[in-house]
Amino acid sequence: MTRHPKLFIYDLDGILTDTAEFHYMAWKKLAEELGISFDYAFNEQLKGISRMDSLDRILALDPSSGGFTDEEKLKLATQKNENYLELIEEITPAHILPGIEAFLEANRKSDAKLALGSASKNAPAILEKLGLAGYFDYIVDAAKVKKGKPNPETFTVAADAFGIDYPDCVGIEDAAAGVEAINRAGMFSVGVGDRAYLSHADYLVAETSELDFDRVVRQFGKKKRRLLKEWKHDLEIDES
């Protein structure tokens, strides 16, 4: 049982950069055109989930807006994405969140691989705009998975691409659905954000500037040692 991670899987929005405001503005524009209003608090529910799931939650705010066919919903989701693409044209390396480049550098110098696990089909383009594409060995975006977060598929697909056991992986997320997906995959979860939403993370920091690569590796090792101790204890009970 290794005590050092073999793979780090990063979320995009809220970890590498904060495009949450762009998503919020894009969804809000679409919603207002449909006569639906929502606020930042509701927007928290949309973090980490797919475009179609986000649309369904927004439409559910107004029961009278029901009756859309799948084809109509697809057109609405496409319109939101067009709104979003216009907004993210502004993204540059200056939009990388504090502490992330140092963390990625430390990750690259270690033996652990790097993967991106994002619900966004625009992830590769955003990585290029940020100047971070060269750090990543593999990208899992919405086109590579059938089930979005909190289903663990985004993270298991990344691990499977390298043939790495799930317990040897670390996932870094800012969304409750993302942390749940990491946990369900049997990986070590690092949450970035408010404890009120992310208390289920194995390790939690308030913001990206607090992320420290060596500290995360140590916390990963502590969990490994605890699990090994529990396994040995259970084995002794079974043999007694």
Side-chain angles (χ1 to χ4, degrees):
M1 180 181 289
T2 180
R3 292 180 182 175
H4 297 283
K6 293 182 178 179
L7 171 64
F8 280 75
I9 308 168
Y10 297 77
D11 182 33
L12 175 62
D13 295 331
I15 299 298
L16 302 186
T17 189
D18 189 1
T19 61
E21 180 68 16
F22 296 135
H23 280 294
Y24 174 69
M25 292 168 62
W27 277 124
K28 193 167 182 64
K29 181 179 179 181
L30 178 70
E32 288 175 350
E33 291 171 355
L34 297 172
I36 300 172
S37 62
F38 65 91
D39 56 17
Y40 275 105
F42 176 82
N43 192 60
E44 285 292 318
Q45 298 180 33
L46 308 184
K47 286 186 175 181
I49 65 174
S50 72
R51 195 180 304 159
M52 297 307 296
D53 286 343
S54 294
L55 177 62
D56 284 339
R57 294 193 185 197
I58 290 170
L59 294 177
L61 289 172
D62 180 9
S64 65
S65 68
F68 287 101
T69 65
D70 288 344
E71 184 178 355
E72 289 171 333
K73 286 184 179 181
L74 186 59
K75 287 181 179 179
L76 290 174
T78 300
Q79 180 58 52
K80 179 269 174 181
N81 193 51
E82 290 174 358
N83 296 343
Y84 176 71
L85 290 175
E86 289 179 12
L87 293 167
I88 64 171
E89 281 300 315
E90 304 172 18
I91 291 179
T92 71
H95 289 89
I96 299 171
L97 288 176
I100 287 300
E101 283 188 278
F103 195 93
L104 291 172
E105 276 292 337
N107 192 163
R108 184 160 65 175
K109 290 176 181 177
S110 75
D111 292 331
K113 297 289 188 180
L114 291 86
L116 184 75
S118 172
S120 174
K121 291 182 180 179
N122 301 308
I126 295 173
L127 277 186
E128 290 290 345
K129 288 179 177 294
L130 293 170
L132 298 179
Y135 281 103
F136 290 89
D137 302 297
Y138 192 74
I139 296 175
V140 180
D141 61 19
K144 288 189 173 72
V145 297
K146 295 180 180 178
K147 299 178 180 178
K149 304 165 188 177
N151 186 283
E153 187 180 12
T154 296
F155 296 92
T156 58
V157 165
D160 290 344
F162 298 101
I164 295 175
D165 292 338
Y166 303 157
D168 294 331
C169 301
V170 173
I172 306 177
E173 271 277 359
D174 75 316
V179 170
E180 181 181 343
I182 298 167
N183 291 342
R184 287 173 62 182
M187 300 176 180
F188 183 83
S189 57
V190 176
V192 179
D194 193 335
R195 182 172 294 278
Y197 299 103
L198 305 175
S199 61
H200 52 315
D202 291 312
Y203 179 63
L204 180 65
V205 296
E207 53 192 37
T208 57
S209 62
E210 297 177 10
L211 284 171
D212 179 271
F213 186 79
D214 291 335
R215 190 172 299 149
V216 170
V217 171
R218 287 196 298 272
Q219 293 297 322
F220 172 89
K222 284 182 181 179
K223 181 180 180 181
K224 284 283 191 175
R225 289 192 293 274
R226 186 181 73 249
L227 292 175
L228 180 59
K229 185 176 180 179
E230 291 173 356
W231 176 76
K232 287 181 176 178
H233 177 69
D234 291 342
L235 186 61
E236 288 172 358
I237 293 176
D238 290 340
E239 292 177 348
S240 62

